[in-house]
Amino acid sequence: MVSKSKGDSCALVGELKDNLSYLDMVASDGVSLGDVAEKLSVTEYKRLANEGFNFNKLKKSKITKYPSLEGTDLEKWGGKETEELVVSIYDKINEIKTRFPHVGNSKNYRWGVRVINISKRIWLLLKHVSK
C-alpha cells in the first residue's frame, strides 16, 4: 500500500508540474490562456479525491513559514496543512477550466493575475513537498 501511495503522490506532483509549465507559458511567454486552459489537468487530483486520498501524505508536516514569504500573498500559507494548499490550487485550476472558455473576455476576471497566483501556490507546494 505504501508504494501505491508513493505512486499516487508522484502522479499528482507530475500533474502539478505540467500545470505549472502551462501557466508559466501564459505568465512569462505571452501564450494566451485560451491556448492552454484545456490542457490544464485535474485528472489525477479528481481520481485521488474520489479514492479518498489523504493529500497530507504528500508531506506530513505543515507548510514551513519561510522568511521569504513574509509580506507576500503566500505568507498566510505558512503553518497550514498540505491538503489545504492542494485543494486551493485545484479549485483555482478548475475555475479556469470551467469559466475561461465562457467568460474569458470579461473584464470582471483578471485572468493574468489569477494565473500568476496559481503558479506561485504550485511553486510553494512543490518547494514544500520536495524537502
Side-chain angles (χ1 to χ4, degrees), residues 59-66 69 74 77-86 124-125 128:
K59 178 82 173 214
K60 287 184 174 45
S61 63
K62 293 189 178 190
I63 298 166
T64 304
K65 294 183 179 186
Y66 298 104
L69 299 181
L74 294 175
W77 290 103
K80 292 197 176 181
E81 298 281 339
T82 305
E83 184 162 358
E84 285 183 77
L85 184 53
V86 171
L124 176 60
L125 180 65
H128 171 61

Side-chain angles (χ1 to χ4, degrees), residues 15-79:
E15 182 174 76
L16 283 163
K17 286 179 178 178
D18 288 348
N19 286 337
L20 182 59
S21 293
Y22 287 122
L23 294 169
D24 279 348
M25 284 185 233
V26 174
S28 303
D29 300 327
V31 173
S32 138
L33 183 55
D35 290 342
V36 300
E38 66 188 37
K39 292 180 172 81
L40 294 172
S41 177
V42 295
T43 306
E44 288 299 324
Y45 171 74
K46 284 186 175 183
R47 177 183 69 82
L48 293 172
N50 287 336
E51 291 176 3
F53 184 78
N54 177 358
F55 292 101
N56 286 325
K57 284 185 176 181
L58 290 171
K59 178 82 173 214
K60 287 184 174 45
S61 63
K62 293 189 178 190
I63 298 166
T64 304
K65 294 183 179 186
Y66 298 104
S68 61
L69 299 181
E70 283 183 33
T72 72
D73 54 335
L74 294 175
E75 182 176 14
K76 68 179 182 193
W77 290 103

Side-chain angles (χ1 to χ4, degrees), residues 2-3 6 14 22 28 54 58-59 68 95 98 104 122 127:
V2 169
S3 62
K6 191 154 181 77
Y22 287 122
S28 303
N54 177 358
L58 290 171
K59 178 82 173 214
S68 61
E95 184 179 24
T98 304
I122 294 173
K127 177 176 173 129

